[in-house]
Amino acid sequence: MSAAMKVGAVVITMGNRPDELRALLDSVAKQDGEPVEVVVVGNGSPVPDVPEGVRTVELPENLGIPGGRNVGIEAFGPSGRDVDILLFLDDDGLLARHDTAELCREAFAADPRLGIISFRIADPDTGETQRRHVPRLRASDPMRSSRVTTFLGGANAVRTRVFAEVGGLPDAFFYAHEETDLAWRALDADWMIDYRSDMVLYHPTTAPSRHAVYHRMVARNRVWLARRNLPAPLVPVYLGVWLLLTLLRRPSRPALRAWLGGFREGWATPCGPRRPMRWRTVWRLTRLGRPPVI
């Protein structure tokens, strides 16, 4: 059954890491089993030279991470239906093993309700996994696989039936929290999410705050995330907790100013369609160790 599952991969690029992109594509080509079909999306930039057989899409403008990935999904047909599984991989990452695609096939075939798999991200030099790359609160042991409530955007696999059922990533988010938005919608539709420590993407250790828009978009999108997905009584609780946590972390004055500006923007601007999750899903998130108030 797993052998019959077709696997594709979506990679978005700004065209500024051609060597890393080529190394990633080589690691995908070396996967065991049936070849993985790859689409590389140039997000507002030309796509560097890629191996023969890799499809490319060049967008005239940068649509952001979710927008670029949604274009990649649709390159495999509506909601990606031409394949059963889609891998989403950062263009400066590298699949550490040759059996990752096969492990994905086996996992999805064995569990019909498994919708998303989050890979472990490890530094290629040290092998270490940052705590923020383990998508659960109890992140001290990155080698422990488990059910989780969200996933890592640049190192994951998604059953394409999930997109057909709950839709794609939220384009307007541009950067930050788009994975959690999709994860919450998937969980509300009774799909499950796994973190798998044996599925590894090598990726250099970086800080998310390297992006100039990080603090504003993290705050804005967190407000949008809550407004779109949470039952009304939980919206102020969730956002109040994150406001308090942000203040306790004592960010620099410019960072705090950008964060508060994004927080205000999240309330003042449209967030897209509101589809609050069921209380049953709230309870599921709580049982999985991450109630939707933190």
Side-chain angles (χ1 to χ4, degrees), residues 174-250:
F174 197 84
Y175 167 79
H177 301 317
E178 67 272 6
E179 302 93 352
T180 300
D181 187 89
L182 175 61
W184 283 1
R185 286 183 282 125
L187 287 164
D188 198 47
D190 294 325
W191 293 102
M192 300 303 293
I193 306 170
D194 279 357
Y195 166 73
R196 288 282 298 264
S197 64
D198 58 337
M199 301 182 188
V200 182
L201 184 84
Y202 283 148
H203 189 282
T205 298
T206 56
S209 54
R210 69 190 186 280
H211 299 291
V213 296
Y214 172 77
H215 296 288
R216 179 177 69 86
M217 288 196 174
V218 160
R220 182 199 67 181
N221 292 358
R222 198 174 291 284
V223 176
W224 282 356
L225 178 69
R227 290 175 57 198
R228 285 164 57 92
N229 295 289
L230 290 181
L234 293 185
V235 173
V237 179
Y238 176 82
L239 294 176
V241 167
W242 277 105
L243 176 60
L244 178 61
L245 286 173
T246 299
L247 295 175
L248 289 174
R249 290 168 178 168
R250 304 183 68 176

Side-chain angles (χ1 to χ4, degrees), residues 76-105:
F76 289 92
S79 301
R81 69 184 181 191
D82 294 345
V83 294
D84 303 293
I85 303 164
L86 276 176
L87 311 180
F88 294 87
L89 307 169
D90 276 351
D91 68 341
D92 56 344
L94 183 75
L95 288 174
R97 297 168 42 158
H98 293 180
D99 62 350
T100 302
E102 279 290 273
L103 289 173
C104 287
R105 291 185 182 99

